[in-house]
Amino acid sequence: MSTPTLALRRARWALTDTATLTGRALAHWARQPGPVIVALLFPVLLVLMFGYLLGGAMVVPGGGDYKEFLLPGMFAMTMLFGVETTYTAVATDAARGVTDRFRSLPMARSAVVTGRAVADLLHAVVALAVMLGCGALVGWQWHLGAGPALAAVGLLLLLRAAMIVLGIHLALLLRAPESVAVLQILVWPLGFASNVFVAPDTMPGWLAAVVRWNPLSATAAACRELFGNPGWGGESFAAQHAVALAVAWPLLLIVVCAPLAVRRWRNLSR
């Protein structure tokens, strides 16, 4: 058999196995919808809390509605917090021996990881649709047309893809579902030490620098720009090149974490 034909058969095999394991994850969500519903409603709760309880005290520099400012940041934060979902699912399978059983089957080894990644990306699409609908209900909208809006959605899903790769790597490394608490200790400060809720200029100098270069801040600022929503602005390099950084940060995470996840996957049985 020629090399191109063999490679094609392997690719089809991997795609078939990936589809099977993606279906497995979706079936789990269908049988146990509670955690999925909670994951979808939690960011909606944050929007209502910050938009209505605290929004009256917030002033956007240059004017503008605070909810229109808030929503793009909340979209980005929803993608960031999705790393916990990925981590818990992969770590649970690893801790229960499910991952090892899959590795012993005559299936494409990459399918276990890629199947989870595809399933979580589909979940992210649904979560983002829910958030966009919630935003529309509270008065948020985009103002620059469908093209820039779709580009913003693409940046949000790129951030989620980076979080999927990071979550898979950490889960295969730690293999302990209960250690998601440690992950939350790291993720939550990253989420709130950003420009999602308040302007970096209101913070101490060292913290403002951290916030401006936060990957979440880059995605939030880029989405505000592409949606035509009000933002904090600023003269810093990060503020002036938000779209470029919103592409660069997730790609950097993927380039760094993907090989580490693959290496860890190959060494699981050692």
Side-chain angles (χ1 to χ4, degrees):
M1 185 179 296
S2 64
T3 300
T5 302
L6 181 60
L8 183 59
R9 290 189 62 182
R10 287 179 176 175
R12 289 176 178 173
W13 180 31
L15 288 175
T16 300
D17 290 343
T18 296
T20 299
L21 291 181
T22 299
R24 169 183 175 266
L26 298 179
H28 281 182
W29 292 337
R31 287 195 296 268
Q32 298 177 337
V36 178
I37 294 173
V38 171
L40 293 176
L41 292 182
F42 178 68
V44 174
L45 176 63
L46 288 180
V47 169
L48 297 177
M49 182 174 65
F50 282 94
Y52 288 98
L53 294 181
L54 304 178
M58 301 293 186
V59 178
V60 180
D65 181 70
Y66 180 70
K67 288 191 290 296
E68 284 226 334
F69 162 82
L70 176 66
L71 263 297
M74 291 306 305
F75 299 156
M77 184 170 282
T78 300
M79 299 296 101
L80 172 69
F81 285 171
V83 68
E84 299 174 13
T85 301
T86 300
Y87 176 91
T88 301
V90 177
T92 299
D93 279 350
R96 292 177 177 175
V98 175
T99 302
D100 290 333
R101 288 197 293 272
F102 281 146
R103 285 167 55 84
S104 68
L105 296 175
M107 60 184 297
R109 290 194 170 190
S110 63
V112 178
V113 174
T114 55
R116 168 53 52 184
V118 172
D120 283 0
L121 200 58
L122 291 175
H123 181 273
V125 171
V126 175
L128 189 53
V130 170
M131 289 297 294
L132 290 169
C134 174
L137 289 176
V138 300
W140 169 85
Q141 58 183 321
W142 65 79
H143 302 280
L144 300 181
L150 289 175
V153 170
L155 291 179
L156 291 166
L157 293 177
L158 179 62
L159 176 64
R160 181 66 181 100
M163 293 301 103
I164 288 172
V165 175
L166 176 62
I168 290 174
H169 168 59
L170 293 177
L172 293 176
L173 181 65
L174 301 177
R175 306 184 70 177
E178 61 274 10
S179 60
V180 69
V182 177
L183 182 64
Q184 290 172 338
I185 292 173
L186 298 175
V187 170
W188 281 76
L190 181 66
F192 284 91
S194 67
N195 65 10
V196 169
F197 300 107
V198 296
D201 292 340
T202 64
M203 305 174 187
W206 66 270
L207 182 58
V210 171
V211 167
R212 291 189 182 99
W213 288 95
N214 186 334
L216 178 63
S217 295
T219 299
C223 288
R224 291 182 184 117
E225 180 179 334
L226 292 169
F227 284 134
N229 297 140
W232 300 125
E235 299 299 325
S236 66
F237 179 90
Q240 295 296 316
H241 301 84
V243 174
L245 289 176
V247 175
W249 274 122
L251 289 180
L252 178 61
L253 284 172
I254 292 172
V255 168
V256 171
C257 293
L260 294 175
V262 171
R263 181 180 179 182
R264 185 62 189 171
W265 166 250
R266 290 174 176 173
N267 295 335
L268 276 181
S269 59
R270 298 181 182 179

